[in-house]
Amino acid sequence: MSIIERPVTIAVVGTHSTGKSTFLARLAHELRRSGLEVATVADLGEQAQRMGLPILWNHTWVSTLWIITRGISNELEAWLHADVVLVDRAVPDALGYYRAAVEYRGETADPDGSAYLETLARSHSDCYNLIFRTQLDPHIPLGTNKVRDGNHQFRTLADHHVEAVLRELALPWLPLAADGHDTALALALDFVTEKLGDATSDQALTTSDRTGRQRFEPATTSTEGSQ
C-alpha cells in the first residue's frame, strides 16, 4: 500500500445553524495569520439543492451518496494545496442526516444501501485528525445570513443522528458549544502547532518543503455494517 501525504485535517459536524461555518472562518483566519496554507471544504447542502438533489428531511440515499463522494473528492483536491484542511461537515455528517430524514419520514432504509454509505464514511473518517461536533441549543434562534430550515423536529433528529454516527464509527470528537468557540479555537490552534511543529512559525517555507506534514497509510476499506 502506498504512503500518501496529507495535511492536518480538522472537521466540524452537527445539525444546521449551530455555528460550524462561523467557527471555521475564525480558525482559518488565525491559521493564515501564522503563515499556513489553509483550504476550506465547504458544506455541500446548497450545491446539492441547486442540482435538484433533496436535502434535509427529504434526504435520500442518492443525495447522501453524492454529498459523501463529492465531499471526499473535494477534500482530496484540498490536500494538494494546503497545510491545513478545514472541513465544514465531514462525511459522517451526511450519514447522520440521511438517518434523521429516514426516521422523520417514518421509513425504513434499505440495509444494503445503508451498509454501503457506512462503509464509505467509515473508511474515509480516518483522514480527520480532529473533529468538533456542534451542540444544538434550542434557545438560540436560527441564523439569518441565509435561508434556514425552521423544522425543529428534524433539526433535533439530525443533531441526535450525527452524534450517533460518530459513536458508531468510534470517532473521537470534541464538543463545540455556542459559547465555547474561543476555547475550541485555542485548542485547534495548539493542535495544529503540535502537528506541524516549526512549520507554523516559519513563513519562509513553501508548502511542499514543510517537513511537519503527516504521513499515513489509508485505512483498508471496511465491509462492516452497523455496530
Side-chain angles (χ1 to χ4, degrees):
M1 184 175 295
S2 63
I3 302 297
I4 301 174
E5 290 189 0
R6 66 175 173 86
V8 176
T9 302
I10 299 175
V12 181
V13 300
T15 195
H16 37 294
S17 196
T18 48
K20 294 181 295 297
S21 300
T22 299
F23 172 73
L24 288 177
R26 288 187 62 192
L27 179 56
H29 175 72
E30 293 299 327
L31 290 170
R32 289 179 177 127
R33 288 182 60 195
S34 300
L36 293 171
E37 296 290 338
V38 180
T40 299
V41 177
D43 176 5
L44 290 166
E46 289 186 2
Q47 185 179 349
Q49 194 170 34
R50 288 196 299 272
M51 294 172 58
L53 291 169
I55 62 171
L56 298 171
W57 62 87
N58 290 316
H59 244 274
T60 64
W61 183 86
V62 172
S63 60
T64 306
L65 177 62
W66 183 86
I67 289 173
I68 288 177
T69 54
R70 178 57 63 92
I72 291 173
S73 296
N74 289 348
E75 290 176 30
L76 298 182
E77 182 179 352
W79 287 6
L80 302 174
H81 312 292
D83 302 300
V84 182
V85 174
L86 305 179
V87 182
D88 190 345
R89 295 193 180 279
V91 293
D93 188 282
L95 182 57
Y97 265 72
Y98 173 62
R99 292 178 176 178
V102 169
E103 180 176 338
Y104 180 83
R105 299 195 298 265
E107 299 174 354
T108 301
D110 173 71
D112 292 338
S114 293
Y116 183 64
L117 296 176
E118 290 161 13
T119 297
L120 287 173
R122 185 186 302 277
S123 59
H124 184 71
S125 292
D126 286 344
C127 298
Y128 302 118
N129 299 106
L130 184 63
I131 298 176
F132 289 98
R133 187 183 78 83
T134 57
Q135 297 179 308
L136 175 62
D137 184 343
H139 302 292
I140 298 178
L142 293 171
T144 57
N145 60 324
K146 61 181 181 181
V147 178
R148 301 285 186 176
D149 166 51
N151 186 327
H152 180 67
Q153 180 185 355
F154 177 72
R155 193 170 173 232
T156 302
L157 282 173
D159 180 66
H160 165 74
H161 281 284
V162 169
E163 179 180 0
V165 168
L166 294 180
R167 294 187 183 281
E168 180 180 307
L169 300 183
L171 295 173
W173 50 271
L174 296 172
L176 179 60
D179 60 355
H181 282 207
D182 289 344
T183 300
L185 187 67
L187 190 154
L189 292 172
D190 288 345
F191 181 84
V192 172
T193 299
E194 181 180 349
K195 289 293 184 184
L196 295 181
D198 293 340
T200 56
S201 60
D202 190 349
Q203 298 183 23
L205 288 175
T206 65
T207 297
S208 60
D209 289 334
R210 289 189 171 111
T211 57
R213 179 172 290 197
Q214 292 186 310
R215 300 173 68 86
F216 84 124
E217 295 185 6
T220 302
T221 300
S222 170
T223 57
E224 297 178 0
S226 302
Q227 292 181 340

